[in-house]
Amino acid sequence: EGCWALAADLLWDGESDQAIENLCVVILGESVFRVCDVQYALRRQVPLEAFPGCCLMPGLIDAHVHMEFSEEYPLHGQPVLSDEALGSAMEARALRMLRRGITAAR
């Protein structure tokens, strides 16, 4: 299994009051292995992908979403779609959410 790391200018762990500098997330296979100092990972020759100007953080949760409603239309102006078209639209919306950092929706 491959091991690599992600780093940004800041890392927020979802619990601390502030984001912290010089940390990275080490990935082993498909899972987070650890959060450690960037220099620690580099000394161990872990391949590192750096994203300057960014902040790493846990995925965001949208606690109330209706995937079948398009954000492009008002609530009572939603277009009537076939089941197939609605499924495709919901899939596209989920991908847009994921690209914006929302990794869970309810």
Side-chain angles (χ1 to χ4, degrees):
E1 291 184 41
C3 182
W4 58 286
L6 284 169
D9 290 349
L10 298 168
L11 183 143
W12 180 62
D13 62 12
E15 295 180 1
S16 301
D17 290 338
Q18 296 183 9
I20 302 168
E21 295 179 337
N22 301 315
L23 293 178
C24 66
V25 177
V26 178
I27 309 296
L28 181 59
E30 295 182 5
S31 301
V32 172
F33 177 67
R34 72 171 5 158
V35 173
C36 67
D37 184 88
V38 169
Q39 292 306 315
Y40 178 88
L42 291 174
R43 284 193 304 272
R44 280 150 187 78
Q45 300 181 340
V46 175
L48 184 80
E49 286 190 37
F51 293 89
C54 295
C55 178
L56 293 177
M57 61 185 190
L60 303 172
I61 298 170
D62 189 330
H64 186 143
V65 64
H66 295 271
M67 296 300 290
E68 68 274 18
F69 294 155
S70 170
E71 66 273 26
E72 297 176 18
Y73 299 93
L75 177 61
H76 298 290
Q78 295 289 313
V80 177
L81 302 173
S82 68
D83 288 346
E84 185 177 331
L86 181 59
S88 293
M90 290 170 63
E91 182 179 336
R93 183 170 187 196
L95 185 56
R96 287 192 303 277
M97 291 170 69
L98 183 60
R99 288 183 174 152
R100 288 173 174 83
I102 300 170
T103 59
R106 178 164 193 242

